[in-house]
């Protein structure tokens, strides 16, 4: 995008599937904000206020935190999701948020919304299994997920400093490539 380009910046809504303060996945999103290419802005949404999904609650009235999450997804050009891995799967807090956002089926804000995934874990496989699992859920929600690059940040404890800044240069470069690919994916799909 150039100065003469009349289009507004791509607005990316990012969220991480971990609630802990020192979360590597939340740190990844901070790094993504630093690394966003020209013409892209990344807003981080905190999913900690989203209650456990319950269809009875949904029918009685969508909770404000869920409405805010759905509205933020609807307003974004694309999503960036930092996916931790628990027991070879998607952590409950993240799956729960996705389940709320997936309603109503086929008319949810997730339908047609471009998305990209990344994830960090201290282990050797860097969230490969949980990312694959989330991709499967996104088939049902009709959410087109960027195929490549797959950003799997393994041995995460070695890649951030004490202030939570991503210091590993190859990982920073890889996230930069992911964001450029997400911009291209978004423009191709929705602009
Ligand atoms: C209940 C639980 C299960 C976990 N299972 C996995 C796992 O299957 N694979 C993995 O790589 N790490 C696993 N871990 C380690 C997490 O990757 C690690 O706690 C990571 O820091 C969580 O992400 P966060 O830093 O964003 O909070 C597990 C951690 C917990 C608490």
């Amino acid at each position: 995008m150039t100065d003469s380009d009349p289009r507004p910046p791509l607005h990316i809504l990012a969220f991480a599937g971990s609630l802990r303060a020192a979360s590597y996945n939340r740190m990844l999103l901070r790094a993504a904000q630093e690394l966003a290419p020209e013409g892209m802005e990344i807003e981080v949404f905190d999913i900690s206020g989203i209650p456990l999904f319950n269809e009875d609650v949904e029918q009685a009235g969508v909770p404000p935190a869920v409405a805010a999450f759905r509205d933020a997804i609807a307003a974004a050009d694309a999503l960036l999701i930092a996916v931790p891995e628990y027991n070879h799967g998607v952590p409950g807090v993240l799956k729960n948020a996705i389940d709320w956002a997936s309603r109503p089926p086929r008319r949810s804000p997730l339908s047609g919304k471009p998305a990209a995934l990344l994830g960090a874990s201290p282990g050797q496989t860097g969230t490969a299994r949980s990312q694959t699992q989330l991709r499967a859920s996104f088939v049902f929600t009709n959410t087109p997920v960027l195929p490549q690059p797959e950003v799997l940040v393994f041995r995460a404890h070695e890649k951030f400093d004490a202030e939570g800044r991503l210091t590993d240069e190859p990982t920073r470069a890889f996230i930069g490539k992911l964001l450029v690919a997400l911009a291209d994916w978004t423009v191709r799909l929705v602009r």
Side-chain angles (χ1 to χ4, degrees):
M1 206 172 281
T2 66
D3 287 348
S4 60
D5 194 327
R7 291 178 301 184
L10 286 175
H11 179 70
I12 308 299
L13 188 79
F15 49 95
S18 172
L19 306 185
R20 74 187 188 96
S23 159
Y24 296 122
N25 287 280
R26 288 160 68 127
M27 293 175 193
L28 279 186
L29 295 185
R30 279 172 46 197
Q33 285 179 306
E34 292 169 16
L35 295 164
E38 194 183 337
M40 173 185 284
E41 59 185 25
I42 299 176
E43 172 197 1
V44 176
F45 190 97
D46 180 359
I47 65 169
S48 63
I50 295 177
L52 286 176
F53 183 77
N54 179 333
E55 256 187 282
D56 297 338
V57 171
E58 184 186 41
Q59 280 171 15
V62 174
V66 174
F69 186 48
R70 288 182 182 169
D71 289 349
I73 293 171
D77 292 306
L79 307 177
L80 178 68
I81 307 173
V83 190
E85 183 170 295
Y86 283 178
N87 300 313
H88 289 183
V90 179
V93 292
L94 178 57
K95 184 61 165 51
N96 180 66
I98 297 291
D99 290 342
W100 272 115
S102 71
R103 311 279 290 172
R106 292 173 295 284
R107 289 181 293 114
S108 88
L110 290 174
S111 185
K113 188 69 63 178
L117 309 182
L118 71 173
S121 92
Q124 296 291 351
T125 53
T127 75
R129 294 178 176 99
S130 59
Q131 289 195 39
T132 299
Q133 206 177 74
L134 189 56
R135 285 176 187 273
S137 292
F138 280 155
V139 172
F140 188 76
T141 62
N142 190 38
T143 306
V145 187
L146 179 71
Q148 289 283 344
E150 291 182 285
V151 177
L152 309 170
V153 182
F154 58 95
R155 298 188 67 80
H157 52 292
E158 298 175 351
K159 294 176 178 164
F160 297 87
D161 68 16
E163 281 72 50
R165 184 174 185 274
L166 180 64
T167 51
D168 186 68
E169 285 303 328
T171 304
R172 291 181 71 84
F174 212 23
I175 291 173
K177 283 183 187 163
L178 175 79
L179 296 174
V180 169
L182 175 60
D184 180 57
W185 183 243
T186 303
V187 169
R188 278 201 277 161
L189 288 172
V190 298
R191 276 197 173 174

